[in-house]
Amino acid sequence: MRGIRAARALLTLGTTFGLIACQEALTPVPYRLGQAIPLERWMLKIRQPEMVAASMIKGFQDFRISNKDSKVLVVHLDLMPKSQAAEDDPNAAEKGFIKLMWDCRLKDREGQEYRLGLPLAGSHFRMLKSGGMMSDTEMRDALFSVPESRVPRDWALLFAVPQGRSGFTLFIRNRTPEEGQPALVSVDLGR
């Protein structure tokens, strides 16, 4: 029994290192801010990022930030389904978009990588950032602007980064690229 567990552990470890090596071997296809990026069933457009102090995001107690010198890099993006079938699919998020989001990473000028801390619908980010200081109409619009069965179009990806870091590039891995799609994308955020 112990031998079987050891073999499984070695197989898992070998597979993990193989996937890491494979990902590192991919050459990212560069895109510009605002350019449409085809990824799986989606078209993404990365909009201008913004830096916010972790303290500005009210009600957000623990965002992998353990010291007061951290800041939050917010990458805003627009998400458009490539077809009506993708848009109407009630399981669209589970069938790819969430996996796509979790394959986002940030790299700074010095080569340090940061994993996605939290993806939020844009309306929820604005509500969180305002500290709940919205009118009833704004709050209702933020919470109910998208039918539950659909994936929101406006997103904010939040990354916790050290205060002194800059020169960020966003990388998105496309694990199941369709024909003509890149397997790895990079977008220079200009920050």
Side-chain angles (χ1 to χ4, degrees), residues 19 28 58 63 75 78 82 86 98 105 125 128 138-139:
L19 287 174
K58 309 293 185 211
F63 175 51
V75 178
D78 294 322
K82 286 174 44 181
I98 288 175
R105 71 188 201 289
F125 170 73
L128 190 62
E138 290 171 322
M139 185 84 67

Side-chain angles (χ1 to χ4, degrees), residues 116-138:
L116 175 62
L118 184 69
L120 288 173
S123 57
H124 294 132
F125 170 73
R126 287 186 293 279
M127 185 173 65
L128 190 62
K129 186 178 170 185
S130 75
M133 304 304 286
M134 295 178 137
S135 70
D136 290 342
T137 303
E138 290 171 322

Side-chain angles (χ1 to χ4, degrees), residues 92-112:
E94 290 80 11
K95 289 184 177 176
F97 183 61
I98 288 175
K99 292 176 193 169
L100 195 63
M101 287 280 221
W102 290 114
D103 276 335
C104 291
R105 71 188 201 289
L106 198 63
K107 192 181 275 192
D108 66 24
R109 176 176 292 128
E110 287 79 26
Q112 179 69 39

Side-chain angles (χ1 to χ4, degrees), residues 11 13 15 24 34 40 73 94 107 125 142 152 156-157 166 187:
L11 181 60
L13 187 60
T15 303
E24 293 303 318
E40 295 182 7
L73 176 63
E94 290 80 11
K107 192 181 275 192
F125 170 73
L157 308 182
S166 62
V187 180

Side-chain angles (χ1 to χ4, degrees), residues 50-55 57 60-75 102 104-108 112-119 125 156-166 168 170 189:
E50 71 174 303
M51 287 286 191
V52 297
S55 60
I57 304 175
F60 207 24
Q61 277 65 30
D62 182 28
F63 175 51
R64 298 184 184 180
I65 296 177
S66 58
N67 77 51
K68 62 183 182 209
D69 295 328
S70 294
K71 58 187 174 183
V72 177
L73 176 63
V74 183
V75 178
W102 290 114
C104 291
R105 71 188 201 289
L106 198 63
K107 192 181 275 192
D108 66 24
Q112 179 69 39
E113 286 191 19
Y114 308 92
R115 288 272 173 216
L116 175 62
L118 184 69
F125 170 73
L157 308 182
L158 282 61
F159 295 88
V161 298
Q163 199 66 254
R165 298 295 179 142
S166 62
F168 294 102
L170 179 69
L189 300 177

